[in-house]
Amino acid sequence: MALKPEPTAPFHSVHYVLRVLETISKHGGGVTDVQIARETGLPTGHLAPMLAMLRREGYVEQVADGAYVIGDSLVLLGSGATRKEALSAKLQEILTELRDSVGAAVYISRYIDGEVKITQFADGPRTPKVNEWVDFRSAAHASAVGKCLLTQLDVNGRRDHLSRHRIARLTSRTITSERLLFSKLDSQPPTVPVLDLQEYAVGTVCAAVPLTAGSSVGCLALSLPVEHAHRLRSAADALNRRAAPVVLSLAI
């Protein structure tokens, strides 16, 4: 599977977060933010919100003298045989918090062995998940999840996928032209959420943002009943802002 080149990463990218964690882990007795900035080369203006996010997610802790040490979440994620269970639990915790903060069902999807797969989700009575009336594996051209994953593939990867899952009209809004679909995927800015405005299912709107961790292709998504469509863009922006902890969990 061929991937599109990754866009230039900003300072808050996972690359820099991992560098911060590596620096903290080298100092078993704790390290100050001043020393972290000196060793990583990160400006303190970028470091402060990054450390706040790492504390919130349990990856680092701040001890009595203000120094930073590695937190329990990072210890669990790096603990060999228990990593898979710890990762699943951590991601579910993040999804549940995200569901409650944005007021929508949320999902993690991965592109695995050439197929779209929802690997985890969090829904509830007030935040119902999408009714999978057509198998998501066959609807990548229509769903926010699928389109977000396809944007991360090169042209040959997309064509390979669509050769196995032919484009079908699911609603009156579904794009059924491969040329138009590819044009929209190519014009999609990497930092802007991908939207599905009743293209997969009448009565549901969705948004998805990419999760880039190494060579894997994934996305974080949400869905809302169409009567809440007025909240979609603000919810999608919140989803984008909260994607970093998910990417970090997958990258560690």
Side-chain angles (χ1 to χ4, degrees):
M1 176 185 64
L3 308 183
K4 290 176 66 178
E6 189 176 346
T8 302
F11 272 120
H12 62 266
S13 71
V14 170
H15 170 74
Y16 288 99
V17 176
L18 292 176
R19 186 186 295 181
V20 168
L21 289 174
E22 181 182 4
T23 300
I24 296 173
S25 67
K26 289 192 301 185
H27 297 271
V31 58
T32 66
D33 54 354
V34 174
Q35 183 66 22
I36 295 170
R38 183 180 301 121
E39 293 189 23
T40 61
L42 277 170
T44 53
H46 292 288
L47 184 60
M50 188 182 296
L51 288 171
M53 182 272 287
L54 291 171
R55 286 183 63 192
R56 184 176 66 247
E57 300 300 331
Y59 291 117
V60 303
E61 297 175 5
Q62 198 167 19
V63 292
D65 61 357
Y68 291 89
V69 297
I70 291 301
D72 291 341
S73 290
L74 188 61
V75 173
L76 284 172
L77 287 179
S79 56
T82 63
R83 171 177 159 72
K84 184 175 182 180
E85 292 79 7
L87 175 59
S88 178
K90 180 62 180 175
L91 291 175
Q92 198 61 43
E93 175 187 318
I94 294 171
L95 288 178
T96 300
E97 292 176 356
L98 191 55
R99 175 201 65 194
D100 295 341
S101 65
V102 302
V106 290
Y107 316 77
I108 293 175
S109 179
R110 309 291 293 277
Y111 196 72
I112 302 172
D113 297 330
E115 300 292 355
V116 174
K117 296 186 179 180
I118 304 293
T119 54
Q120 284 184 249
F121 66 91
D123 64 346
R126 297 184 179 180
T127 53
K129 64 183 178 68
V130 174
N131 174 32
E132 190 177 351
W133 77 284
V134 173
D135 193 320
F136 285 133
R137 292 176 298 179
S138 302
H141 63 289
S143 68
V145 161
K147 289 187 291 180
C148 190
L149 296 177
L150 290 177
T151 62
Q152 299 171 64
L153 304 182
D154 65 9
V155 172
N156 289 334
R158 294 172 188 169
R159 284 178 175 155
D160 172 71
H161 182 88
L162 295 179
S163 71
R164 292 178 285 108
H165 299 289
R166 297 292 183 181
I167 291 178
R169 185 177 300 279
L170 305 182
T171 76
S172 62
R173 295 174 178 264
T174 305
I175 295 174
T176 56
S177 162
E178 181 178 296
R179 181 188 59 79
L180 180 57
L181 175 65
F182 283 16
S183 175
K184 286 187 172 293
L185 295 178
D186 287 333
S187 64
Q188 176 69 33
T191 57
V192 176
V194 178
L195 302 181
D196 159 17
L197 304 176
Q198 301 189 86
E199 296 170 53
Y200 170 75
V202 174
T204 302
V205 293
C206 306
V209 297
L211 296 175
T212 305
S215 61
S216 66
V217 172
C219 71
L220 181 65
L222 63 80
S223 65
L224 288 166
V226 71
E227 55 265 30
H228 293 285
H230 61 282
R231 294 201 294 113
L232 181 63
R233 292 194 180 275
S234 61
D237 289 340
L239 189 78
N240 216 358
R241 291 193 299 270
R242 292 293 305 276
V246 180
V247 177
L248 181 57
S249 297
L250 295 171
I252 292 174

